[in-house]
Amino acid sequence: MTTTGADHATALTGPWWWSRWRSAVLDVVLALVSALECAAEGIPFARDAGIPVSAGVVFGLLAGSVLVLRRKWPIAVVLVAIAITPAQMGFLMGIVGLYTLAAAELPRRIIVALAGMSLVGMMIVTFVRVKQDMARGDLTLGDWFVPFAAVATSLGLTAPPVLLGLYVGARRRLMESLRERADSLERELQLLAERAEERAEWARGEERTRIAREMHDVVAHRVSLMVVHAAALQAVARKDPEKAVRNAALVGDMGRQALTELREMLGVLRSGEAAQRRTASVSASASVSASASAAVPLAAVGVAAAAAASRMAAEEEGPWLSELEVLIGQSAAAGMVVDLSVEGAVRSYAAEIEQTAFRVVQEALTNVHKHAAGAKTHVRLAHRVAEIAMQVENEPPPEPASAGSAGLPSGGNGLVGMRERVLGLGGVFVSGPTDAGGFRVSAVIPAV
């Protein structure tokens, strides 16, 4: 809540109906002055009315003290002031009562009616009094002075407090409206900040997932092939030295390729981090906190990881569907029997479509190496009018024990990553075991 809102909420600390002690003290002082004024004016009133002076004084004290209720019942105060106007007392109470009445949140018709009654009453009383003074010879002015004095006096005692009260009341209502709008705006800002934090947290989670998926797709396949070749090398090292040499060369090639891809990814991440730090340092010179400037936004890291995982797609380096034969050749060199069939006219697609299709086939072959080593695998690619479809299906492994012979770990993220990639492009992804005991991965990606 804003400061003004907090002050407004904690302002009701005065006694009874007063909002503040200062207001209570002011009203008590005004009521005391009004009571003394009415008591003094009650002396000539008692003499003219032929009643005891003490009764006039007591009447004046009681009537003037009504002003203490001006904030609680302003209408009653104005009615009392109008009622004692013929007794020529309560001028202070009338002025203050009219001001309070006009400043209060009351219907305008009530304010106009009471102000008109006070004006007419004051005009009549002043007219009669000035007429009497002129009849007694106290005033020697012309007859024109009687109505002039009545109108001027009534307007002077009625119009200023009413106009001032209307202005103060309008200003008070405007300030309250502005305060409420400020409080409402701050609540909305707090709500927006909470939603922004939720969106930022969701974005951070999405970027973490994206980084994990990209690193998994980039490294897992080649490392899996390295483990498969290493297992084959261990098995044939003594029986077939030439094959062992070939397997060792393949392991070395796979390792170098994996290191190259890791180096590319780390290079992009570091370059992105350096750029973000330079940007943050510039922002720090514009009064941004040092802790915020030292941190690298996770979104930038996710973008960098995606760029590295796609082998610098901005430089048109792939991977592309044209590299599927090389990918299948690597799996065949590791001992897998792979059958590739392509339907439809081969054409090029958007970079992210070709990269996603390539990664789906790559991860599916990696899963075959992990869970069904030695199983025959069929890779089907279909180029259609508005979509591209791919399917990787493996038969049951020749020996049940061979599925885990290479000792490849499985984190369970391969299928999840493939599904996220395909669904992110508006495609359809289906995976599951076949009736023959194998496993099938199918994906359809819109080509437009």
Side-chain angles (χ1 to χ4, degrees):
M1 184 176 290
T2 60
T3 304
T4 56
D7 293 342
H8 180 71
T10 59
L12 299 176
T13 58
W16 296 328
W17 57 83
W18 286 284
S19 60
R20 293 185 297 269
W21 278 98
R22 183 177 63 183
S23 302
V25 173
L26 176 62
D27 288 355
V28 170
V29 171
L30 288 175
L32 179 61
V33 174
S34 177
L36 294 176
E37 177 204 353
C38 292
E41 294 168 345
I43 296 175
F45 168 72
R47 291 173 181 172
D48 294 340
I51 60 176
V53 175
S54 59
V57 172
V58 172
F59 174 76
L61 289 174
L62 294 177
S65 61
V66 176
L67 189 59
V68 77
L69 305 175
R70 71 183 187 94
R71 297 181 191 268
K72 184 69 172 178
W73 295 298
I75 297 178
V77 173
V78 174
L79 290 176
V80 172
I82 295 174
I84 64 176
T85 299
Q88 298 181 2
M89 63 174 62
F91 295 101
L92 177 62
M93 183 169 61
I95 294 174
V96 177
L98 287 175
Y99 163 79
T100 306
L101 177 71
E105 295 183 0
L106 294 173
R108 289 296 177 87
R109 62 179 183 274
I110 296 179
I111 298 175
V112 172
L114 292 178
M117 292 172 59
S118 178
L119 176 66
V120 173
M122 184 64 63
M123 185 181 300
I124 294 174
V125 171
T126 304
F127 183 89
V128 172
R129 183 173 180 178
V130 174
K131 190 73 173 178
Q132 292 176 351
D133 291 341
M134 292 187 67
R136 288 194 301 264
D138 296 337
L139 294 174
T140 58
L141 298 175
D143 295 337
W144 62 270
F145 183 74
V146 177
F148 173 78
V151 173
T153 302
S154 59
L155 287 177
L157 295 177
T158 305
V162 171
L163 295 177
L164 180 61
L166 291 175
Y167 167 75
V168 173
R171 184 176 181 275
R172 182 187 301 127
R173 287 188 289 271
L174 176 62
M175 295 300 296
E176 291 177 355
S177 175
L178 292 177
R179 184 185 299 112
E180 292 176 358
R181 291 178 60 184
D183 294 341
S184 176
L185 179 60
E186 182 159 354
R187 287 192 294 269
E188 291 179 1
L189 290 177
Q190 290 177 352
L191 181 60
L192 290 176
E194 293 175 358
R195 292 181 178 177
E197 181 62 26
E198 293 176 358
R199 288 195 296 267
E201 184 64 28
W202 174 83
R204 286 192 289 268
E206 288 293 316
E207 291 302 326
R208 292 190 187 99
T209 303
R210 183 179 181 181
I211 292 172
R213 182 174 65 246
E214 298 293 347
M215 295 187 69
H216 177 274
D217 291 342
V218 167
V219 180
H221 179 72
R222 300 197 184 281
V223 174
S224 299
L225 291 179
M226 289 173 61
V227 174
V228 172
H229 283 294
L233 176 62
Q234 182 180 5
V236 302
R238 295 181 180 179
K239 299 179 181 180
D240 192 348
E242 294 183 359
K243 187 175 181 180
V245 171
R246 291 195 299 271
N247 286 339
L250 289 175
V251 171
D253 291 339
M254 293 294 177
R256 282 187 290 272
Q257 292 174 2
L259 287 176
T260 300
E261 293 185 349
L262 282 175
R263 191 177 295 111
E264 291 177 356
M265 176 177 290
L266 293 176
V268 174
L269 288 174
R270 287 172 179 170
S271 63
E273 179 179 355
Q276 290 298 327
R277 285 181 175 176
R278 287 195 297 270
T279 304
S281 63
V282 173
S283 300
S285 63
S287 302
V288 177
S289 61
S291 60
S293 64
V296 179
L298 189 58
V301 178
V303 172
S310 61
R311 293 192 180 190
M312 311 296 291
E315 299 179 3
E316 303 296 333
E317 294 186 4
W320 310 109
L321 288 175
S322 59
E323 302 177 19
L324 275 181
E325 294 183 359
V326 177
L327 177 67
I328 292 174
Q330 293 174 352
S331 296
M336 179 188 296
V337 179
V338 187
D339 178 22
L340 173 63
S341 62
V342 180
E343 301 176 2
V346 178
R347 64 181 189 274
S348 60
Y349 301 91
E352 57 183 0
I353 294 177
E354 293 209 12
Q355 291 164 11
T356 299
F358 182 91
R359 295 300 185 193
V360 169
V361 176
Q362 183 186 57
E363 181 59 28
L365 293 177
T366 302
N367 287 340
V368 176
H369 284 293
K370 289 181 180 180
H371 307 291
K376 185 176 181 180
T377 305
H378 303 277
V379 179
R380 301 179 180 89
L381 186 66
H383 298 274
R384 299 169 183 170
V385 176
E387 62 187 14
I388 178 173
M390 64 224 67
Q391 184 181 88
V392 180
E393 180 179 351
N394 63 274
E395 300 177 358
E399 297 180 7
S402 64
S405 59
L408 290 171
S410 177
N413 296 319
L415 294 176
V416 175
M418 286 189 284
R419 179 182 298 275
E420 290 175 350
R421 283 181 177 274
V422 174
L423 296 182
L425 296 178
V428 178
F429 180 85
V430 179
S431 63
T434 62
D435 296 337
F439 199 85
R440 181 187 299 115
V441 174
S442 301
V444 178
I445 303 175
V448 180

